[in-house]
Amino acid sequence: MVGFDLPSGTRIVLTDRVAGQCGNAYRANLGQIEAAVEEHRLATGEAISADALLNALPWD
């Protein structure tokens, strides 16, 4: 629901640069995570914590 559809084994790298696929990694920035959390809330009515989502993802 949050919009991340990544193949198994893809590394997720937190960046302050441009987000998106980069080889075997997917670069995500904080604004992208916050926007996804807000979209999820608007679509489902369920509020989730951006911090909890950040802590749950397998960052590299």
Side-chain angles (χ1 to χ4, degrees):
M1 190 69 174
V2 179
F4 294 107
D5 184 18
L6 304 173
S8 179
T10 300
R11 296 176 9 235
I12 302 173
V13 180
L14 187 60
T15 183
D16 58 356
R17 298 182 185 177
V18 176
Q21 193 75 33
C22 180
N24 277 355
Y26 185 90
R27 292 188 279 199
N29 60 44
L30 185 56
Q32 188 178 34
I33 302 297
E34 291 170 340
V37 166
E38 179 62 9
E39 283 183 35
H40 179 81
R41 185 189 66 75
L42 292 171
T44 67
E46 177 189 14
I48 59 176
S49 165
D51 289 334
L53 179 57
L54 287 166
N55 289 330
L57 291 171
W59 298 108
D60 192 26

